Amino acid sequence: MEKTEQRRVVVVSTGGTIASRWQGTGYAAEAHGRDVLAAAALPEGVDVRVVDLFTVNSSRLTTRHQLAVVHAVREALADPQVDGVVVTHGTDTLEETAFLLDLYHRDPRPVVLTGAQRPLDDPDSDAAANLHDALLTASRVRDAGVLVVFDGLVHAARGTVKMHTVAPDAFADPCRPPLGKVGFGAVGPLPRLPRRAPLPLPAADAAAPRVDIVAHHCDADPLLFDAAVAAGAQGVVLVGTGAGNATPEFTEAVARAVRAGVLVAVTTRVPAGAVTPLYTGGGAVDLAAAGGVLTGRLRAAQARIAVLAALLSAEGAEERTALLRDIVGPADTPPPGHDG
Ligand code: ASP
């Protein structure tokens, strides 16, 4: 029988439900990476090294944690013997860390994020299957960037969000189908997506700029938007209604913030479709004219990561705005009339 080539994967363990156990009143991340790994069946021919980075529930993550993950992945890939990296992560904010990793990723070898919806100590836990599939994907694919592997599906990091609070098929891109499937010992085939040039890696201890998210809704006024700026936000994501709309009062607030050097992004609370400049009277047409950057298909949490990355990588309002536009990308800003 032909001997399969041995592959090496580094698992960066960060906590989440995949590392959670019952604490008497609720679940919390507790298990170390080796315990998480022990629960999974390793794919044949895959050797694993575990990096225990931290063990927290992902709703408690900060930019400092996320930059630590970015650096741990870069360090793992510095070893040419490594074929790929898996990051085990809480599902709550997995889409944020995945997208941040994607913005800095410059390697043909993949980075695969996974987690679980049912805790490690649950008899029906999805931890083992998801980790197995992530290891298989990390050991096999090339030139696919940063991926999310969950419930037998492979998703691109960009655009993929948590879609269900508790169901095992927790992740999807609301605008696009998954890249492929993983199961029965095979991955894909996966399409090759166009990738933007990676951003320069910020220092792990880079000062994290404050970036807030403010939502528009009926009755909303810009008080909370202005409060974010007054609190020192260097970036604000405005979550508009519909195709990315708010009010004339918000338009003025955006213009004031932009004049003060704050990076403003505009996304939408609608689950699918691109932010599209269709409406004036406080709509996306006016918010863009006031200096807000329309974030295409990026939902709020990933739009915030885009703003954060632009602030970390560029100096000066003009450069930051240009970089944010570049991160959002032309492919994510279809013209009016396009279905997004
Ligand atoms: N609270 C958990 C977390 O994000 C949820 C999960 O991992 O599914 O850490």
Side-chain angles (χ1 to χ4, degrees):
M1 208 172 84
E2 194 188 326
K3 190 178 175 308
T4 50
E5 188 198 335
Q6 204 65 17
R7 314 275 173 102
R8 292 183 183 80
V9 176
V10 175
V11 172
V12 178
S13 173
T14 72
T17 293
I18 195 167
S20 287
R21 296 190 186 110
W22 183 248
Q23 306 294 319
T25 54
Y27 292 100
E30 175 188 78
H32 292 293
R34 62 177 177 280
D35 303 325
V36 175
L37 191 68
L42 294 190
E44 201 187 325
V46 175
D47 287 335
V48 178
R49 180 169 73 81
V50 175
V51 174
D52 254 313
L53 199 58
F54 45 77
T55 307
V56 296
N57 287 82
S58 70
S59 57
R60 299 177 65 180
L61 292 188
T62 62
T63 301
R64 182 61 66 91
H65 289 104
Q66 290 171 316
L67 288 178
V69 177
V70 173
H71 278 266
V73 166
R74 189 61 72 88
E75 277 162 34
L77 292 174
D79 179 351
Q81 303 295 318
V82 167
D83 291 288
V85 178
V86 169
V87 178
T88 56
H89 198 290
T91 58
D92 284 11
T93 61
L94 187 147
E95 68 210 56
E96 301 184 35
T97 305
F99 187 44
L100 191 70
L101 279 162
D102 194 51
L103 293 175
Y104 300 113
H105 190 62
R106 57 164 192 204
D107 203 289
R109 294 167 294 171
V111 178
V112 181
L113 286 91
T114 196
Q117 287 281 68
R118 294 184 181 150
L120 191 61
D121 61 358
D122 185 313
D124 292 327
S125 177
D126 48 346
N130 284 342
L131 184 50
H132 173 276
D133 290 350
L135 289 168
L136 189 68
T137 307
S139 68
R140 296 285 165 89
V141 308
R142 281 284 178 281
D143 298 312
V146 178
L147 302 168
V148 177
V149 167
F150 220 92
D151 198 41
L153 296 174
V154 184
H155 309 273
R158 172 185 283 257
T160 293
V161 293
K162 188 169 182 181
M163 296 286 283
H164 198 284
T165 51
V166 291
D169 57 338
F171 287 91
D173 179 335
C175 301
R176 295 188 178 102
L179 297 180
K181 292 185 178 172
V182 49
F184 301 104
V187 186
L190 306 180
R192 226 180 153 131
L193 297 179
R195 296 186 49 74
R196 61 174 307 287
L199 298 175
L201 196 62
D205 61 354
R210 182 181 181 108
V211 183
D212 289 316
I213 298 178
V214 177
H216 178 51
H217 49 81
C218 294
D219 289 332
D221 63 26
L223 186 135
L224 293 177
F225 185 99
D226 291 336
V229 174
Q234 293 181 52
V236 182
V237 176
L238 174 60
V239 183
T241 54
N245 305 312
T247 62
E249 292 75 22
F250 266 105
T251 306
E252 284 167 28
V254 169
R256 276 195 304 277
V258 170
R259 275 198 301 274
V262 175
L263 190 53
V264 177
V266 180
T267 182
T268 170
R269 70 182 192 181
V270 179
V275 174
T276 309
L278 295 172
Y279 297 96
T280 184
V285 169
D286 298 350
L287 297 169
V293 175
L294 309 185
T295 61
R297 295 185 186 89
L298 294 179
R299 272 42 236 180
Q302 290 196 340
R304 182 183 171 279
I305 290 297
V307 171
L308 179 73
L311 291 169
L312 285 169
S313 290
E315 294 289 340
E318 267 181 42
E319 292 77 2
R320 286 170 164 176
T321 304
L323 181 55
L324 179 57
R325 287 190 205 287
D326 182 53
I327 291 170
V328 170
D332 278 319
T333 50
H338 190 283
D339 67 5

